[in-house]
Amino acid sequence: MADPEYELFAIRYATRDAQRSEHFIGGDPHDGPMPMDYFMWLARGGGRAFVIDTGFNAEIAEQRRRTFLRCPVETLAAFDIDPADVGDVILTHLHYDHAGNFDRFPNARFHLQERELAYATGPYMQYPRLSHSFEVEDVCGIVRLNYARRVLFYDGDAEIAPGLTVHAAGGHSAGLQFVRVNTRRGPVVLASDVSHFYENMISERPFTTAFHVGDMLVGFDKLRAAAPDADHIVPGHDPLVMKLYPAAGPELKGVAVRLDVAPSGAAPT
């Protein structure tokens, strides 16, 4: 039986101004503006909706000096989805911009690499260089969900549902995973922070927030191996995503794009 084909969307909920030197280990010889977008993703098919990462809220945006555009969870209403009806949330990792708002999904199970929770609650968190990417209350919240038997842990690659798989990558965070989703245009790989921008992967220069640089480089290879070609890889924070893919509807222009259709131009190579 063929795997279901999912509708797949990226929801842009925040942005920030930044410089190129902030996005590459070792800086960049041609420094200049390089803004960063923040996304939550939605896969819908087979009678189910899967939320992939949960973003952050306005309070955290203010604390971290991010430009908050909209609540990503509330944006699900534009897709006729009630957060209370979402049964599955995939967390690619537990950094503040990927695991906030988890409490807005009261009936969901959360899918996470076991190593990520061990990392976020372990001895490395005594070092601000690593712990600054986490919000303590988010991490504690996931621990509470585990006590409530609402977290499903994985040790490596796994199938969440037919046509939807997670793949361990590590590097940026110890338990980082990316998601592969079967769509009408074939499998689409949501890189999340395995590659923040197209350029990180293309130039093989990892992002500056790093737990293990070697694993970050291997992660680029894992993305390529999981996708038919570069056009089927979607980076986690690149504003180009909003330019390459069509709006999910007239009312969602600038808010959400479809990833289950081909981009309007070739992905950077």
Side-chain angles (χ1 to χ4, degrees):
M1 184 176 178
D3 287 337
E5 294 179 349
Y6 294 88
E7 295 180 287
L8 186 61
F9 307 94
I11 298 170
R12 176 177 177 257
Y13 69 91
T15 189
R16 76 177 178 98
D17 294 329
Q19 297 295 116
R20 291 183 57 82
S21 57
E22 298 178 73
H23 302 319
F24 303 97
I25 290 177
D28 188 89
H30 306 291
D31 200 11
M34 192 175 185
M36 172 183 281
D37 279 351
Y38 296 83
F39 295 97
M40 183 176 84
W41 299 276
L42 170 67
R44 183 169 60 183
R48 299 169 68 181
F50 297 84
V51 170
I52 302 162
D53 288 342
T54 53
F56 54 76
N57 60 26
E59 179 182 0
I60 295 301
E62 184 176 1
Q63 290 177 14
R64 292 182 178 259
R65 299 181 181 179
R66 306 304 190 239
T67 301
F68 194 67
L69 303 174
R70 61 192 58 86
C71 174
V73 179
E74 292 176 2
T75 305
L76 291 174
F79 298 89
D80 295 321
I81 292 175
D82 184 336
D85 294 333
V86 173
D88 296 275
V89 173
I90 299 169
L91 296 177
T92 62
H93 58 306
L94 294 178
H95 283 175
Y96 78 95
D97 52 327
H98 295 262
N101 297 315
F102 68 90
D103 56 328
R104 302 287 297 274
F105 298 91
N107 299 307
R109 302 176 300 173
F110 291 79
H111 302 266
L112 182 70
Q113 290 289 321
E114 181 177 356
R115 190 180 180 194
E116 181 68 359
L117 188 58
Y119 173 56
T121 57
Y124 286 110
M125 293 301 102
Q126 67 185 294
Y127 303 113
R129 184 67 184 88
L130 297 175
S131 64
H132 81 281
S133 296
F134 297 88
E135 286 290 328
V136 172
E137 292 307 312
D138 292 343
V139 176
C140 291
I142 299 302
V143 171
R144 292 186 181 97
L145 288 176
N146 184 37
Y147 272 72
R149 303 178 69 178
R150 290 178 55 198
V151 184
L152 280 69
F153 291 104
Y154 302 94
D155 182 16
D157 302 351
E159 182 181 75
I160 305 299
L164 198 157
T165 53
V166 294
H167 303 262
H172 170 69
S173 188
L176 175 64
Q177 60 186 352
F178 64 88
V179 184
R180 187 175 190 261
V181 182
N182 190 51
T183 74
R184 55 180 167 171
R185 72 177 178 112
V188 173
V189 172
L190 299 176
S192 184
D193 288 1
V194 180
S195 190
H196 284 62
F197 296 86
Y198 285 106
E199 194 172 347
N200 290 121
M201 180 176 62
I202 293 164
S203 64
E204 295 192 332
R205 291 183 296 155
F207 190 73
T208 48
T209 300
F211 174 67
H212 191 296
V213 175
D215 284 348
M216 295 176 85
L217 292 167
V218 172
F220 298 149
D221 293 335
K222 290 183 177 180
L223 292 177
R224 296 186 188 101
D229 54 45
D231 283 342
H232 288 74
I233 300 173
V234 181
H237 289 274
D238 201 323
L240 276 175
V241 170
M242 296 298 292
K243 297 178 180 179
L244 288 172
Y245 290 93
E251 73 286 1
L252 290 171
K253 187 174 178 60
V255 176
V257 293
R258 299 196 71 108
L259 303 176
D260 53 359
V261 298
S264 59
T269 57

